[in-house]
Amino acid sequence: GSTDSSGEICDAYKRRNDRIQVIHKENGGLSDARNQGIVQSRGLYLAFVDSDDTIDSSYVEVMMRVMERYNCDIVQCAYQKIYNNGRKVLYGENSLIVNGREIQRYLYGKKSSPEAFDIACNKLYKSELFKEIRYPLNRIHEDIATTYKLYLKAHLIVVIPNVLYNYRIRKESISHQESLQSLQDWRKAEKERYDFYDQINIPEMKNVALKAYYYWTLACIKSKKITVVQKKELRYECIEIAKKILFSHTNTLRTK
């Protein structure tokens, strides 16, 4: 589905190395491409690289060594955002070894780099984690709606400070365009995250997810592109979310 010469470049790599498998398919978006890769893969491990990003030459090697040393389910490295003007911003943590439940608080932690924990691309996964998990189709911020589920399936996660992934920021990319769909998809992801934590009964994470759900609902209301009818519906929804926050027995008075 590529509109440039990417397909031919991939085929050229395949001719040079028979370990490379190239799949030509209709363009169905990022999630669809990742899901196809998950289905077609036969290896014990999975890693994702977005098409406009770059990686350190040791990206897989370093994380693979950590994976084997600790027999963990996910290894996460630091990454840097690289802007068109050359500016670089680092996102990452010091070394960390936690289980799937403990790492949830880093998704919203003020002292952590939550983006580093949410995105799909700075990680090496055991492929068995994806047995029942796929990325949602036709959504922006699809990793926000997925990564936390993978964490909870993981028995052990190791975070390393090595900067191995380069996340290129382009204004024209879908995820960095200020659009109503972007806000709505993030809001939907937070609602799903709240429902998920509620279902498996993790009160502390349910509460922070509810606050995030409230925040992104307000962001949608403030959008200039939202219709009057949509705004009315979301205002009512905000009231219902606020009631849940105020009447929760597990929320602190400060949070309320």
Side-chain angles (χ1 to χ4, degrees), residues 72 100 164 226 251:
C72 53
L164 303 175
I226 197 169
N251 261 329

Side-chain angles (χ1 to χ4, degrees), residues 40-220:
Q40 297 290 337
S41 67
R42 296 293 178 266
L44 298 175
Y45 308 97
L46 289 171
F48 302 102
V49 181
D50 284 358
S51 57
D52 48 0
D53 296 338
T54 64
I55 56 174
D56 187 89
S57 60
S58 63
Y59 174 60
V60 173
E61 179 185 0
V62 171
M63 291 197 289
M64 191 71 232
R65 285 177 178 172
V66 175
M67 181 78 76
E68 291 176 338
R69 178 181 177 185
Y70 292 96
N71 189 28
C72 53
D73 300 292
I74 299 174
V75 179
Q76 173 180 304
C77 67
Y79 76 99
Q80 57 185 351
K81 284 186 176 180
I82 302 178
Y83 293 82
N84 289 339
N85 61 4
R87 184 168 71 95
K88 298 179 180 180
V89 180
L90 179 65
Y91 291 83
E93 297 290 319
N94 295 323
S95 298
L96 188 67
I97 303 175
V98 290
N99 63 38
R101 188 157 178 144
E102 290 172 334
I103 206 169
Q104 298 296 312
R105 60 192 174 90
Y106 287 90
L107 295 168
Y108 296 99
K110 291 181 179 178
K111 293 183 180 180
S112 67
S113 301
E115 285 188 44
F117 292 90
D118 261 328
I119 67 170
C121 292
N122 62 334
K123 300 170 179 65
L124 181 68
Y125 310 84
K126 281 189 177 177
S127 57
E128 62 191 41
L129 295 177
F130 288 88
K131 189 174 182 180
E132 298 173 350
I133 294 177
R134 294 291 184 273
Y135 290 95
L137 300 177
N138 304 315
R139 296 256 295 269
I140 304 173
H141 312 301
E142 73 297 323
D143 40 11
I144 304 293
T146 309
T147 307
Y148 66 95
K149 298 176 184 177
L150 296 166
Y151 280 143
L152 276 175
K153 290 189 69 175
H155 297 292
L156 191 67
I157 299 134
V158 178
V159 178
I160 59 175
N162 309 57
V163 184
L164 303 175
Y165 194 92
N166 302 310
Y167 189 117
R168 292 178 59 218
I169 303 297
R170 298 180 300 109
K171 290 183 179 180
E172 63 272 22
S173 68
I174 295 174
S175 60
H176 294 98
Q177 291 177 5
E178 293 186 6
S179 67
L180 180 58
Q181 184 188 349
S182 177
L183 294 174
Q184 288 175 327
D185 284 352
W186 200 307
R187 171 184 162 273
K188 186 174 182 178
E190 295 297 357
K191 182 183 185 304
E192 290 172 351
R193 184 146 39 182
Y194 165 74
D195 292 337
F196 180 80
Y197 290 135
D198 186 33
Q199 184 178 0
I200 62 175
N201 192 27
I202 306 182
E204 67 276 16
M205 292 312 303
K206 183 178 76 170
N207 288 333
V208 292
L210 188 62
K211 287 195 295 180
Y213 172 29
Y214 183 73
Y215 172 84
W216 288 105
T217 303
L218 281 177
C220 288

